[in-house]
Structures are given as C-alpha cells and as structure tokens.
Amino acid sequence: MDKFKVTFYPDNKSIEVERGKTILSAAISAGVYINSSCGGDGVCGRCKVILKKGQVVTHPTGRISLEERSRGFHLACLTTIQSDLEVEIPPESRLDLELRLKGLYSESEEIEAPVSVLGDEIFVHSPLATKLYLELPEPNLEDKISDLERLYRQIRRIQDIPIMQTGLTNIRRLGELLRSADWKVTVTLGKRNGTTEIVLIESCDTSQKNLGLCFDIGTTTISGQLVDLNTKQVLGTKATYNKQASFGSDVITRIIYAQEEDGLEKLHHAVIDGMNQMIQELIQEHNIDLNDVNCVLCAGNTTMVHLLLRVEPTYIRREPYVPTANFVPTIRASEAGIKINPRGLLSCVPGVSSYVGGDVTAGVLSCGLHHQDDLSILIDIGTNGEIVLGNKDFLVACSASAGPAFEGSGVGCGMRASKGAIQKVTIEPKNYAVKYNTIGEIKPRGICGSGYIDMIPEMLRAGLIDKSGKFKTIKDKRIRESELGREFIVAFKDESEATSDIVITEADIENIKRAKAAIYAACAILVKHMGLEFSQINKIFVAGGFGTYLDIANAISIGLLPDLDKTKFIFVGNSSLAGARSILLSYEAMKEASEIAKKMTYFELSVEPKYMDEYTAALFFPHTDLSKFPSLSNKK
Amino acid sequence: MDKFKVTFYPDNKSIEVERGKTILSAAISAGVYINSSCGGDGVCGRCKVILKKGQVVTHPTGRISLEERSRGFHLACLTTIQSDLEVEIPPESRLDLELRLKGLYSESEEIEAPVSVLGDEIFVHSPLATKLYLELPEPNLEDKISDLERLYRQIRRIQDIPIMQTGLTNIRRLGELLRSADWKVTVTLGKRNGTTEIVLIESCDTSQKNLGLCFDIGTTTISGQLVDLNTKQVLGTKATYNKQASFGSDVITRIIYAQEEDGLEKLHHAVIDGMNQMIQELIQEHNIDLNDVNCVLCAGNTTMVHLLLRVEPTYIRREPYVPTANFVPTIRASEAGIKINPRGLLSCVPGVSSYVGGDVTAGVLSCGLHHQDDLSILIDIGTNGEIVLGNKDFLVACSASAGPAFEGSGVGCGMRASKGAIQKVTIEPKNYAVKYNTIGEIKPRGICGSGYIDMIPEMLRAGLIDKSGKFKTIKDKRIRESELGREFIVAFKDESEATSDIVITEADIENIKRAKAAIYAACAILVKHMGLEFSQINKIFVAGGFGTYLDIANAISIGLLPDLDKTKFIFVGNSSLAGARSILLSYEAMKEASEIAKKMTYFELSVEPKYMDEYTAALFFPHTDLSKFPSLSNKK
C-alpha cells in the first residue's frame, strides 16, 4: 500500500498515511483537530481546509463556494489523499476556536470554579486517596512479623480497615524501601470497589502532598479541577474543548464513528489527550509533582465515560439503549491512559442509563434534589440537555439533544465562558448601540452562552429580529449581509481582541432557538409525564457552563426556562464538576451518588410521541403558545 | 564490550555473552541448568564441563583431577569466557539427573499423588476459581440495566456476593460478548483477598472446563498437580528438579546469588520455567486447553515464594530474619510469569516466618495437627527439614538445613522417588547379595530417599560399614575403590537401566548421616525447648518426597526418626502438596491455613546453643547416645 506524507500548517505537524484516507482522518491521526459537526459525512461543511500542494480526489459539495474552490478549499472529510500533501487549516476550521478569535492558541483556560449549592462541608472528609505517615517499629528477634504484615498492622492501629489489598509492584519494592527509609514511610490508601488498596508506599513523610483531580467530561467541553485532598482547597479550574468534536458534535455521531476502523481508539485518545494536557498545565502552573497526584474522579455522560475507558459505545444507541456499564469499577488511571502517578486511581461517578450519565448524578448530588421534601427540577444545559425532576421520594430524568450552542460551539462567534467572553449584553433600541460586559472585564473575544441568552431578548426588544428569529429589514452600520445571511455586529474588530468583527448571524439565532426548544420541550414533557404542572415545582436548579452569570429573566423570555417566579430559580453553574469534587473529597458522597444513580429512573423522550409537538411549538421566542409564558404576555 | 558466542552440547543451545562472564552464568542464561551445590563458589566441584573449543581463563582447583584436566574438564563457575566457546556438559554435571541414569531427558515425571491424611471431604468444596453458567434475561425497554449490572444481578441471584470486582479488560469485551453469545455466558469467579473477582467471561456454557493447579515448590524438587476443580479429580501429578539448583543447593546460597546482577531475575525464571514446562506437559497429556486452567495454588518455603514472585529475599537471611511477606495477596498468575489463562489467579499458602513457609502450613493443614487434643509432631524431610510440634492449643515450628540427600540430590546415584527408583533394599549378610524393589517395578535407574534409608541399616547388618558410616575392609565384587573413595555396587549396569553401575559411596553415606542428624537434632531440641519428652508425643507424621513407601523401622534404626512405638508413626508423603490441593479446592481450607500460619510460632535453632551439640551427637548410626534408641540396644 502506498504511503504518503501529509503536513498540516500552521501546526507544521506531519503524518504518514495510506493512499485513499481522508484528510480529516489524517489530521486527527496527526493530532490536528478540525471542526466537524456531522462526523465526516460531508454535511456540516465545517472541516474546510486549503490544499497547498499535492494530488487529491474530492467529491463535489455545495459547502464550498466557487470563490473558495478557486483558493484551494476542500472539505477534509470528502477529500482523499493521492500523493504527499501540504494542507493549511484556516482558523475557522480549527477546533480551538480561540485561535480564530485571539490569534493565539491555548490548550485550556482557567475558568471560574463552580460552587457547591450545599457547601463543601456537608460530606465527611474522606477523599478517594488518603495519605498516612507511619513510623513502623523496627523488627527485632521478638517482633519478627514480615514487612507487609508490619505495614498492615501499623495502618490498622490508625484506621479500621478489614480488607486491605496491595499489588505485587509495591511488595517487590517493600523490603528495600522500608529499610532505606529507616521504617518511616507514607502510604497512599485508595478506596477501590468496597475495599482499600495500598496504592503507593513512599519513604519519609510525604503526607502533605496529596492531590487529586476531578473532571466533568462533556461532549463539547472538558472541565477539570486540581484539588488538595488534605485541605479540600481547589488549586485550579480549567476548561478545554473536547477534541472528540473533530468526530462530530454530538454523542450519536461519535458512537457511529467509534464503529469505524480504529474509531474507538481515536475517540479515546482525543479525550485523554485533552485531559492529560490539562493535567500537565495544572500541575506546572501550581508547581506540583505529577507523582503527588494520586487519583482522578470523572463525571461524564454515559458515552463520554465509555470512550474515556475505551469501551465500545455501540449498544448505547441501539434499542433498547443499554450501555456496557453505568457503575464502572475503580481502576488504575494508567489503564485508561490518564497520566498521574502511575499507580493512581481513576473512579467514575455512576450513571443511570445510556442517556443520563454520571454527570447528572453528580449534578443531583451537588444540588441536593434527593434530600428535598418539595419538588425540584435540575436543568443541565449542555450539548445534551438533561432534566431531572424529583424530591426525596423519587427522581426521574430525561435527556434532550440540544446541540453545543450554549457552550459557544457551532455558533459563529461563540466561545466558552472564559476570559473575554461577552456574557451580558444590552442594546439601545434607538440606535442599536451595544453595551456589553466580558468575563475578566477585558476586550471581547467572542460570545458565550449567557451572552447569547441576553442578546436575543435585546434584539427582540430593539426590533432587530422577529419572534421566529428572522432579521427585520433595517439599515444600520451594525447590520450587514454575508455569504451566510444577515448578521448583527456586536463588537467591531477594533474594539475587540478578535481578528474580525464579533457578530451574531441568523443561523446562530436559529441554532439557539433549536437548542432552547429542545430543552424547554423536555422539561414540559417530563413534568406532564409525571402528572404535574410547572406551578407545583418549588425550585429550579439551572446548570451549565455559563461562568458565574446567567440572566434568568432573559432565559425565561427566550423560552429556554419555564415561566415561574424568579425566586424559584437557582443558578448553579457546572453542577457536574461541583458534584465530582464532592465525591473526590468524600467516600460518603460517592455512596450517596450510587444511591442517587440507583434511585433515579430514566424517561425516554424519543418514545414519547408528544415530544416532537412540544419541540415544534417551542421553536419561537418565547413560544407559539403565549399562555405558557403569562409574565411575558402581561408585560406586553 | 566484546561479546562471544558460547554453544553448549549436547543441548546445542547457544548464547551471546560478554567477555569475562563465567561458563556457569552463560549456561544458565542459555537455559542449560548445571549442578552446583555451592552456588558458584568453586567449592562443591559439581559443575564440571568439558571445553571443546575456545579460550578461557580459569582458576586452579583440587576438584579437577589431573586426568580430567587433560581431557579438558573445567569448573564452570571458576572459568571465564575469553572467546567464542564450545562446551560439553557431561551427564554427571547436568541438573536433570535422569539423563545420566536413563540416557534420555525428561523435563518432569509422573509421580504418585499424595493422599490427604484426613481425606478430601473434610473441607467444603469451594475452589479458588469457580465457574457459573448464566442465561441472562435479554434487555428490553422495561429492563434496561447495563450489561455489567445485568451480569452482577444474575450472579447474585445464584450466589451471595456482596463485593464483586471486574477488570477493565472484561468490561471492554462485555457488550459484544453478551450479544454474540445470545446472553448465555459462563463467568469464572475467583476468590481474591476477601473479595470475589469476575476473572473471566466466556460465551456459552464452559462451566465443565474448570481446571486448577497446585504446586509444592521445594528447594530441590517442584511437584505439581492438575486438578479438575469441579469434580476434585486429580488428573496428573508430576515432579521435576527445581532448576534453581544451578545456583546452589540450599536457600542461603540462592539468597546470596539473588543479590548479584540479574541474580533475582535468573532465579525467578529458573523456577517459573520449571513450573511452566510442567504445566505444558500436564495439559498436553490430559488434552486440556491452557485457557481452561484458571488458577494456581502454591505452597513453598518462604524463600521459594519470594523468588517465585520475584521479590528480593535478602532480608530473610539477615538478622532479625524478616521476610517481605508471609501472607502474599492473590495476584494474576501472569504477573509472576506463570502461563495459564492470562487472567487466571495465583495464590500462595501463607507462611509463618523466614524459615517456616507455606509448605509447612499446608503440611499441618493436611495432617490436621491443629485439631488434635494430643501432642503430635510433623517431620517434613526435605532440603530444609521442618519440624512442627503441637496440638489444638499451640503450634511451634523450626527448620533445619538437612541438604537434598533424601530427595536424591547431592548423592551419587540418587534420584527422586519416580519410576525406576530403588525404594526398598535388603542385603544378604553372607554374600552381600542385594534384593531391591523399584518404583513401577521396572529395572533400576537410581536410588531414592527411602532406598537410602533402607540401605544403611542393611549395610550395617551385613557388616559392610561401621556405625560412623565408614566402609570396613572387605573384598567383594560389589565393593571397589573409586577416585572418590570406596563404594558398594547396589545394581550392576547390566541389570539396570542406568549407564553405569548403581552405587552407594562413602561420601553418600556421610551426606545422609549429616541430613538425618540435622533433622533428628531439630526434633530433639524442639521437644526439649517445649519442656517435653518424646514419650509424650502421640503421633508422628513423617512427610517428604518418598513416593508411597518409607520403612519407619529403618528410619528409626539410622537415627533419622526418634525411637518410639511404630504405631505412632504415620507416613504422609508430600503433605505440602496434599495441603495445597485442599486449599485449591476449598476457600475454607485457605482460611484454616491462614489461622494455622497466624497461630504457629517459630523457634530459631541457630540461636539455641545446644543445637550443635545435639547435631554432633547424632552424627552416628543411630546416635552416639544409645540410651536414646532403647529399642535398638535391646535388639543387640
């Protein structure tokens, strides 16, 4: 089989691939992650690349304009390699959207740490990994028990651990280690599937150095925290795009991709690459030795957890939608390719079903729904929108495919809720002057979810768009026609840190409308399914990667959230990450999470015939049936 | 560094080694195992090789006669490699003694299976690995729990297992496996450190195929059994020499060797090579698929278990004589290099101390000492002679370095108790005519331990030797002088299957005298230490690799065993292997073994000043103090 060298610019990364492979597949293998919402089907048109040199075979596509074609543009997924190639990835095709906006590249970014609704103190402090400093009595002719039993005995003098395990690796080192350390050692104890494992034995007192990581592995965004397991202090919180987005923007496209040759392997590497990079950055910034990071706790939707562990996700999307595992045993992190201490542990928050994963369990734990007497709803706004309804007696959940718009992906100038993101917006109806506020109060780089949620009601109020989201015919310097339709300039290039004007397009508005409709319809159907009405709900927890700010009134006014008294809403940010941190820090929280996962039932929207009707009715700002939003009709 | 090729004949095995390495070290690296009692110190003279071609540097040694020197003989341990070499290993230097005796080579040999004193039925049948055939209900929209929880649920419908573990390897295969197997699978459950692990998941009903192995890993001999874990049937029992004998005949020499560069690695490979070869032979002979062998249970002295697991044994021989572990966790057999099913388990019988290992625990379990109201002694005659004294209230053990004579090693025509071994002997005092009986009733190949135990009283009675073991001056065709002193011909070459006459030499008798003195003295000191007398002992269990036959009267008459009523003696054969089998077949037996190991105390002979006196006094047939053997003085 012929092999050709393909070089990608501006990364200057090369790879050898066989004739006939697509440029998209070659890019992924080279570690160059390209946008692709459709997972390589030639539909979304987001994987445009510029061919600089070499022969290819390509398919005709309406996604490349004549002008682009003349400049060498091709869709990476439809173009196969027939010789050595040189390929340029234009900024708009890069998965790392910041590159386009900021003209520079960052693997992951510091974000605001989510705060636990219930506080960090409600669970007993008993982290996934604990360290114990031991001064063993030296053996003598009267006390001759073996090294390993001596260690066990000393541990049991401090803690009551009936079943203790140790690996051969530790035993092989033990004799020499104990003696060279003069019988003063620190053991790292890990909680592993109902037993305690001596994960590590180190000489001297290293008990002060005990770090752990928690992750929320989302379809679009991976958020992670570095936590001091002794003090519970959060040292750093970061977010990065899930590089799996190169294989499609939703879980279904990725499950399909996993069935291709090496597909599962590539998806697995994409997620762990991102996590490992984030871990590297976190430990370097905080001057931590990787060997002092002893455990990782992950919350993710069921597909993300399968891909993290390189477990075939195929059956998740086949009726009757059964995953391989909802409760995954604790393993060594290295088995999944996660680079912390080579003997460190990896634990995942238990999930409920194929479409309600451990991220939702963690969210419920974090909000305390399962303790409430009154009815609550948790609405987690992500690429999958998950809704949980319940109280201390029952929990029922469903999942709606919303798309990544609220995470700033799949929308023109969207970005994640990190520095420079426009998060608050007002528009002066008279002259369309825009006032905005950015995260970190620096020049704007793009718009995050909460910015879009503000933008639409402001555009409606200013008369820029109608209630279906279409632009009205208005002449203004901020309104212009582009190849992709009309757009409104939120921030001009010269007032921003972006490389071009920051705009919102009609297509963006359409995307947001679909996302909010999917989530609202899911809420409405779930409440109805339980024989309830919105008015009976006492609290609404709103979760999602919005940073610290979300305007609830605006979210209601676009019809994303139900029209209830504002005081009932509690904005909780990334509740999955907050819950994951609680579990990392407390085995009691892990047990509670298991109970939540066992107790929660799953309601499948796709088998509910009224869901599509609800969804269609919600494709309007705020809704086609205004009686559902009485506070808005009163205003008028 | 120069590298030279060394080829060993008749094996025709080659290896590349650096200049200056010894021929002994090169041979071991090439997998050619040579006799060496002293572990390469140039003392024992057992590693003679014939240099056929090439340059060497050697040290002068009295162990090579002038005649031998002229024929190219060198001590492999004192001779370093200076060019490419061709080296012949003469039969008498081969570790596999049968080669010399039979003219053919066998890795291991079928031996008689030891019988449990207490019978195989006393423990509940609950083997280390069990198989369960499961017909899982297929998932549907009403029953959508994940594949893994479905499996757990079905197992728990049959067995009460609160803590269950599974590895990532099984989870990765699970989804596809369950569906391709139409939800009919067999799980192999292994008992692992207080929890149950799903070791293996196979499609269809393979529950009938569940094999296990038990091993007694002795310093000189490795015995193993292949057992059907469902029916408890022993399919085959084999023994082979422990190839570690190339590094010295006793544990101390090997512990010292382990400190050399790659020493531990080589010792580890020597023992597992022997075990793996035996496993291969057993499964081939019994037409078993290696993947159906799910677990291995090993009993061995503490040093042997350390070397098996590649754990540094150094501290075993340094005061205060503390091993790394007496209770070794159950691991995957593949971690120790044992080739059974790649996910199969390896468990070791817990030991007591540095010089009383799991083999002794298994022996006590097998004889039931710990259940008796009356006092009993277990005397395990091996390269280390271990003595246990006790009853249901206490157990105390000691260990004496006896040497491998009773295992047929280190004695001229010695062999293990396998086919063709002379095991019973009488000598006609008038004409020195010899009547013997061989194992398997075939032509003799050599003499095993019980043969030597018969031989010496017969030679005494016939007046061939005196009570110190020296030959008297008698002229007979059966008595001759050799380079190594006088010898008595037991079987002439033409009546045997050996390649030369089968003889007993004065050196052999000296070896046996030292071995029996070490064991008798240990018994005597241990009984005295506990403030007891031999007459208070109710039962004496005699264990060792003697096949099915041992003449107790003769063993007393040479002063190996104390002079007590014959009815008090119970010959139990390889009690360690019998105990290991019980543990393989019953977790209850494993728990009982743990209790025994915890209860048993160790008495260190080397710190007991009277031990050397007792030993010296016993260097006589039967003893210098005849009052200790009243039944023999009466006879006279």
Side-chain angles (χ1 to χ4, degrees), chain A residues 144-149 163 165 171-172 176 179 193 195 309-310 315 320 322-324 326-327 329 335, chain B residues 144-149 163 165 171-172 176 179 193 195 309-310 315 320 322-324 326-327 329 335:
Chain A
K144 293 172 57 174
I145 60 166
S146 76
D147 296 345
L148 185 60
E149 283 112 60
I163 304 180
Q165 306 209 36
I171 296 175
R172 283 180 175 157
E176 178 59 28
R179 286 160 185 87
N193 312 316
T195 70
L309 302 176
R310 207 172 55 67
Y315 304 104
V322 171
T324 295
N326 284 316
F327 286 71
E335 286 183 79
Chain B
K144 291 172 58 173
I145 60 167
S146 77
D147 296 345
L148 185 61
E149 284 113 58
I163 304 180
Q165 306 209 36
I171 295 174
R172 283 178 176 160
E176 177 59 29
R179 285 160 185 86
N193 313 317
T195 69
L309 302 176
R310 208 171 54 67
Y315 304 103
V322 172
T324 296
N326 284 316
F327 286 70
E335 287 184 77

Side-chain angles (χ1 to χ4, degrees), chain B residues 275-409:
Chain B
M275 291 170 74
N276 284 333
Q277 278 171 20
M278 195 187 290
I279 294 170
Q280 271 304 319
E281 291 174 27
L282 279 167
I283 63 153
Q284 276 162 15
E285 286 165 22
H286 298 279
N287 223 349
I288 304 289
D289 186 331
L290 198 61
N291 286 311
D292 294 328
V293 182
N294 293 312
C295 54
V296 175
L297 197 289
C298 292
N301 67 54
T302 306
T303 303
M304 288 305 111
V305 170
H306 278 57
L307 296 177
L308 169 69
L309 302 176
R310 208 171 54 67
V311 174
E312 198 67 66
T314 316
Y315 304 103
I316 289 178
R317 64 175 276 274
R318 297 214 181 130
E319 212 189 291
Y321 316 110
V322 172
T324 296
N326 284 316
F327 286 70
V328 176
T330 298
I331 58 169
R332 230 169 275 297
S334 59
E335 287 184 77
I338 301 294
K339 289 179 187 153
I340 56 168
N341 183 304
R343 295 189 55 78
L345 300 180
L346 168 67
S347 197
C348 293
V349 183
V352 176
S353 70
S354 275
Y355 295 109
V356 174
D359 50 351
V360 180
T361 307
V364 170
L365 178 82
S366 164
C367 299
L369 251 75
H370 58 302
H371 287 312
Q372 313 265 338
D373 288 316
D374 295 325
L375 283 172
S376 304
I377 279 192
L378 167 63
I379 302 174
D380 191 353
I381 300 166
T383 309
N384 274 325
E386 288 109 350
I387 325 286
V388 184
L389 169 65
N391 58 20
K392 64 180 168 49
D393 299 319
F394 80 97
L395 291 168
V396 57
C398 70
S399 169
S401 184
F406 289 120
E407 292 176 75
S409 192

Side-chain angles (χ1 to χ4, degrees), chain B residues 54 172 253 274 415 426 477 503:
Chain B
R172 283 178 176 160
T253 334
M415 68 180 282
T426 53
K477 58 173 181 175
V503 300

